[in-house]
Every structure is written in structure tokens, then in C-alpha cells.
Amino acid sequence: TGSSYKTVSITTDSKGIAKYDGSSLSVSKHKIVISSGESTKYMAASTKTIYLTVNKGTTNVIAPPVTYKKGVKGYLTINVTNKVSKKPINALVIKVKLSLGNKSKTFSFKTNINGIVKVPTKSLPKGNINVVISTSNKNYVVSKSGILIKIK
């Protein structure tokens, strides 16, 4: 991707097939140059260029449950990282749905450069608040839910 590249040596199996696990590639279009190396008496050296597009990235969502007293300044901290590379995903719009009983409200937040979103809890009512975390971004799968906020 771009000017960053990685050289990997791969050996073919008994059927002449070489496999590369691209699960650590980021969401974007990647240029892959396949080279057979030096010429031998059995095969001439050759190079082939292909392009691989990674459309969806899996994420790891960390949102530990929090407990606060009503009216006290606090936050539910949500950390979103790439599941394979473990790097934070920044500028990803996260939807946070807060539900208490039959009332619910959805908020949108953007992750910072460290992949973190802070949801303020100061104005929330008393009770166990169910939280559903998702995104509308088609390039990432983000999902977590449960009672993550308790207001006493």
C-alpha cells in the first residue's frame, strides 16, 4: 500500500502452489509483485504484478463496564483496534445506542487517533443502561453490547 512494502519469501507446495496469508493487510488496495527469483535450468526468472483489495477489516472492541453516581462526571471509554494488527482505528464513526427500559437514544462519535471514544455519562438517568456499539462504515465490522453503564 503506497510507498510502504514488505518482502516475503514463500515456497511452493508439492503441487507448485504458493500461499500467503493476507489477513494482516489493512483495508485498501494492495499491489503484489510475484517474482520467481533467479533463472534455473528448469525455469526462467519472471515477474507478475497483481492487485488485491481488502474490503472489510475485523475489529476488537474493548468497553469495560462503568458505575457512577447520578450527576457525577464520568465516561464510558470504548477502544477500537484492528483485530489482526492490534493497531488503533482512528476517525471511525461509532454508533452508541443507550437503552433504559423501553427508552433508547443513539449517538455518533468519531474515534480519536488512539482509536478511543469517550461517551459522557453525567446526564444519564439512574439504572442499568444497556449499550449497543456498532458502525455504519462498510469497511469495518464493529459489534459489542451489554449492560456497560450503571448509574446509582
Side-chain angles (χ1 to χ4, degrees):
T1 306
S3 62
S4 147
Y5 64 91
K6 179 179 179 182
T7 301
V8 179
S9 295
I10 301 174
T11 307
T12 59
D13 62 14
S14 62
K15 296 177 184 175
I17 301 200
K19 294 182 181 178
Y20 174 72
D21 180 12
S23 63
S24 63
L25 296 173
S26 61
V27 176
S28 66
K29 186 175 183 179
H30 300 274
K31 178 181 178 181
I32 300 174
V33 179
I34 303 167
S35 177
S36 65
E38 296 181 20
S39 294
T40 67
K41 68 178 188 175
Y42 302 108
M43 181 176 86
S46 65
T47 301
K48 171 119 176 131
T49 301
I50 62 171
Y51 292 90
L52 173 69
T53 302
V54 178
N55 293 320
K56 272 203 186 290
T58 56
T59 60
N60 189 19
V61 179
I62 300 169
V66 294
T67 302
Y68 293 106
K69 288 189 177 188
K70 183 168 173 40
V72 174
K73 183 178 179 181
Y75 298 95
L76 169 66
T77 304
I78 302 167
N79 190 348
V80 183
T81 57
N82 184 303
K83 196 170 202 169
V84 177
S85 70
K86 309 289 188 234
K87 292 181 180 175
I89 301 172
N90 66 325
L92 179 65
V93 176
I94 299 293
K95 289 183 177 181
V96 179
K97 182 179 179 181
L98 304 176
S99 303
L100 180 62
N102 59 359
K103 295 181 182 179
S104 66
K105 192 164 186 178
T106 304
F107 301 92
S108 289
F109 299 94
K110 190 181 280 191
T111 57
N112 65 15
I113 197 162
N114 298 316
I116 295 174
V117 165
K118 289 190 173 188
V119 180
T121 61
K122 185 175 182 175
S123 62
L124 296 176
K126 282 186 177 184
N128 294 334
I129 299 171
N130 190 40
V131 179
V132 177
I133 303 166
S134 62
T135 185
S136 57
N137 186 316
K138 64 180 181 181
N139 294 328
Y140 291 99
V141 177
V142 175
S143 179
K144 185 166 179 98
S145 63
I147 295 175
L148 300 177
I149 303 173
K150 291 182 181 180
I151 305 295
K152 294 182 179 185

